[in-house]
Amino acid sequence: MSIFGAQPRKVLALVCAACVAMLAFGLYLQHVVGLEPCPMCIVQRYALILLAVFALVGALLPGNGGRKTFATLGLLAAGFGAFVAARQSFLQWYPPEFASCGRDFYGMIETFPLQRAIPMIFKGSGDCTAIDWTFLGGSIANWSFVCFVVLGLVLLAVLLGRPQRVRRVGDR
């Protein structure tokens, strides 16, 4: 048995479903509530999409080897998403003295070469330091960090779990 007595395939499918639910909630906040995502929020969405895709592919693969490979890729995506969320949380707690509402994410990517745009994204703009929504005292970035860490721990448990033995007819 693997973690929580569940099969790794089912756990990966649940990770994918959790990512889809988080993405849907982000779109709800954007399109219904009216919150505009900052550059770091968009990068976190991309990390969630990657994590969902890796978990889905891992759940659909028949063997343990491929499943573990995609769980590892998902763990890397979760780690990257947690890093970006932690950086945004840090910027919210300790905003820079001179925060400007610079270019949006797509404007940075279109205007600057990638090697200049990526550091600009992680500096955070004035938008990244703003806290427009909270739940139980935590901002979106705080909760995003918690979710990435939890999903990463679940994937780590899948990776560290014992491979399941294939049962044959007549085995007890």
Side-chain angles (χ1 to χ4, degrees):
M1 280 292 193
S2 182
I3 62 168
F4 314 118
Q7 298 176 353
R9 174 176 278 170
K10 290 179 183 177
V11 173
L12 288 171
L14 285 174
V15 167
C16 179
C19 291
V20 170
M22 289 172 59
L23 287 165
F25 184 67
L27 291 174
Y28 166 79
L29 287 176
Q30 180 178 355
H31 296 290
V32 176
V33 177
L35 300 178
E36 282 301 314
C38 71
M40 293 179 117
C41 295
I42 293 171
V43 171
Q44 290 171 57
R45 284 186 186 180
Y46 287 135
L48 267 177
I49 291 168
L50 276 176
L51 179 52
V53 168
F54 291 147
L56 179 64
V57 171
L60 295 176
L61 287 177
N64 280 330
R67 195 169 297 128
K68 292 212 179 226
T69 300
F70 280 95
T72 302
L73 291 172
L75 182 60
L76 291 173
F80 176 70
F83 169 76
V84 175
R87 176 69 179 142
Q88 184 177 3
S89 293
F90 178 81
L91 287 172
Q92 289 174 346
W93 291 329
Y94 306 103
E97 281 186 42
F98 300 104
S100 66
C101 294
R103 296 177 182 268
D104 65 343
F105 178 74
Y106 298 108
M108 284 187 234
I109 297 296
E110 289 174 355
T111 306
F112 299 105
L114 201 55
Q115 60 265 32
R116 273 191 65 202
I118 290 177
M120 290 169 67
I121 292 168
F122 288 105
K123 281 183 186 172
S125 65
D127 298 331
C128 293
T129 60
I131 300 174
D132 298 326
W133 181 90
T134 60
F135 178 71
L136 296 176
S139 69
I140 296 172
N142 302 148
W143 284 108
S144 179
F145 174 78
V146 169
C147 290
F148 276 119
V149 168
V150 168
L151 292 173
L153 289 173
V154 168
L155 290 173
L156 187 62
V158 167
L159 288 169
L160 297 177
R162 290 183 298 167
Q164 290 186 326
R165 198 179 118 222
V166 177
R167 290 185 171 229
R168 296 183 196 156
V169 177
D171 282 352
R172 292 184 184 217

